[in-house]
Amino acid sequence: MIRINDARQIKRSVREDTLAAGLLSEQVRAALQAAEAETATPAERAEMLMEIGIGLQTRPKSPDEINSAIELYDKALTVCPGELALLRSRILARKATALQAMPEQGTKSIELARSIFEAIMPELTQLATLEETAEAEMNLGLCIQSLAAVGRAKISEAIAAYQRALRTFTRTSHPKEYAILQNNLATAFLSMPMTDQRGKMREALAVQAFEEALKVVTLVDDPVEYAMLQNNLGNALQYVASSHVLENNLRALEAYDEALKVRTRETMPIEYANTISNKANCLWNLPGHASNSETGRGINLSMALVYYREAREIFLAHGDPGRAQIVSEASMQIERELMELSALLDRPTTLHS
């Protein structure tokens, strides 16, 4: 049964949605009417439609706004004079970014976005600014990376697009875009198979890319992004194939601790649970000190167990039984290892002559 307060909230929400949809329709209709005005040139009308589409697309509140933006871009393309190749490419680039943002079950929109970016890239390279071309390359890389995740593209093509964008978006000239590209590069490297010698190189490149991003993303200016990068760096360090396992794990623990400066249980519970789970896994795989390895190992395992139990509690409280089950199974394995270790420590020491 719905309580009175809840029912009122639902009615209010439906009414607000209806009003928003009505305002959106009116806004689009007015824009389309304005596009027919004879006082403006076709180029001016095309640009006006594109600008209104960008306004709708910026932080959209619903898929309707993205659809409306696409409708305006399509109208802009019909009025854009054929000889204005650069304006036409710019409108198409905006349409492609709208398609990227379109929520859908399949890949139809993202594949169309990819084809648009690939089609306009020669004209952008020839006619647009370096920044416009680099932005299109970055978005093309994102399209390909999304498609690669479902087996419909090669991730190496996404990496190539990111690297082309980095020729313009350097650390000193465009730090924000540089950090985004480095993070995307790192995740792209880590998504590739790691079964051969080249896999080890890609793992190292992923670590390097996260570290590059962290040279411009700071705890003070971008705390959420900083925490995400530190968490991802910790994961990359933890799993990288290297002869320096201990050093990498210790660096991973430092990265997780940096992430936890932002990801607290009170403010970002799910992210906090993810990071302490990662930290627990790192502690689980961390050997004890050489002079007292069993005792050190026991301390690491005990700390990992505490983190796993806390993460399980949070995942369950926030309706994520799948992750709760994963950390629960890890906790049970650690409990068994602690029991075996305890039995080993209780065993009488063998004296050697």
Side-chain angles (χ1 to χ4, degrees):
M1 177 182 292
I2 299 175
R3 291 179 301 170
I4 293 174
N5 288 344
D6 293 337
R8 285 177 178 168
Q9 286 176 347
I10 290 170
K11 286 180 182 176
R12 189 183 305 123
S13 176
V14 169
R15 189 166 61 245
E16 287 171 353
D17 288 348
T18 304
L19 284 172
L23 288 172
L24 178 61
S25 298
E26 180 62 26
Q27 190 176 2
V28 172
R29 188 185 63 77
L32 292 173
Q33 277 186 343
E36 302 297 332
E38 295 181 356
T39 53
T41 66
E44 288 171 339
R45 282 184 271 159
E47 286 200 50
M48 180 194 69
L49 287 166
M50 180 177 70
E51 292 299 328
I52 297 173
I54 293 171
L56 287 175
Q57 190 186 336
T58 305
R59 297 183 179 178
K61 295 181 178 65
S62 72
D64 289 343
E65 288 182 302
I66 302 174
N67 274 319
S68 296
I70 292 173
E71 184 182 354
L72 293 179
Y73 294 139
D74 284 338
K75 180 63 179 178
L77 289 168
T78 64
V79 300
C80 180
E83 66 272 19
L84 297 182
L86 179 55
L87 177 57
R88 186 175 184 78
S89 294
R90 285 172 172 163
I91 297 168
L92 283 167
R94 299 313 309 178
K95 178 180 177 179
T97 58
L99 288 165
Q100 278 182 280
M102 180 65 72
E104 64 176 352
Q105 292 295 323
T107 59
K108 184 179 176 182
S109 295
I110 205 77
E111 294 205 49
L112 179 56
R114 176 188 178 173
S115 66
I116 290 174
F117 281 126
E118 290 178 332
I120 64 175
M121 207 58 75
E123 284 177 339
L124 288 179
T125 304
Q126 185 180 358
L127 302 172
T129 64
L130 291 175
E131 286 77 7
E132 283 179 300
T133 307
E135 183 181 346
E137 291 281 13
M138 184 162 66
N139 285 321
L140 173 61
L142 282 169
C143 288
I144 298 174
Q145 190 167 0
S146 297
L147 293 171
V150 293
R152 296 189 64 83
K154 295 179 180 177
I155 191 66
S156 58
E157 294 177 2
I159 290 172
Y162 293 144
Q163 289 173 331
R164 289 194 294 272
L166 280 169
R167 293 173 191 164
T168 299
F169 290 148
T170 66
R171 192 171 81 190
T172 51
S173 66
H174 299 81
K176 182 179 178 182
E177 290 80 3
Y178 178 82
I180 293 170
L181 282 165
Q182 291 294 348
N183 180 65
N184 293 349
L185 263 180
T187 55
F189 282 131
L190 292 175
S191 70
M192 299 177 78
M194 299 292 175
T195 53
D196 56 13
Q197 195 62 29
R198 286 180 298 177
K200 295 181 181 178
M201 184 182 71
R202 289 193 287 268
E203 287 175 329
L205 288 172
V207 170
Q208 186 181 55
F210 282 131
E211 290 176 334
E212 280 297 311
L214 282 164
K215 289 179 180 176
V216 294
V217 176
T218 66
L219 175 63
V220 174
D221 295 331
D222 305 291
V224 174
E225 290 79 8
Y226 176 82
M228 177 197 72
L229 286 167
Q230 289 287 2
N231 179 75
N232 291 345
L233 173 62
N235 291 344
L237 283 165
Q238 191 178 167
Y239 298 110
V240 67
S242 166
S243 58
H244 306 289
V245 176
L246 178 60
E247 290 85 349
N248 284 344
N249 279 332
L250 291 174
R251 286 175 61 198
L253 290 176
E254 290 176 358
Y256 293 135
D257 286 340
E258 284 297 309
L260 291 171
K261 289 179 180 176
V262 180
R263 295 181 167 190
T264 68
R265 182 167 181 167
E266 291 74 25
T267 59
M268 304 176 72
I270 294 296
E271 290 82 1
Y272 171 79
N274 284 334
T275 298
I276 63 172
S277 297
N278 294 332
K279 184 175 180 180
N281 193 69
C282 190
L283 287 164
W284 190 1
N285 295 313
L286 193 67
H289 190 275
S291 62
N292 196 354
S293 59
E294 286 82 6
T295 302
R297 173 91 177 129
I299 293 172
N300 293 337
L301 289 176
S302 298
M303 291 171 63
L305 186 59
V306 170
Y307 282 128
Y308 272 138
R309 285 174 173 169
E310 185 181 3
R312 176 180 178 275
E313 183 181 301
I314 294 170
F315 286 138
L316 285 176
H318 288 80
D320 194 342
R323 291 189 186 186
Q325 179 64 26
I326 291 172
V327 296
S328 180
E329 290 172 0
S331 297
M332 287 188 284
Q333 287 190 48
I334 289 178
E335 286 171 352
R336 284 195 292 272
E337 289 186 29
L338 277 170
M339 290 178 65
E340 293 170 3
L341 192 60
S342 177
L344 181 66
L345 291 172
D346 288 342
R347 189 182 306 163
T349 304
T350 302
L351 296 175
H352 297 278
S353 59

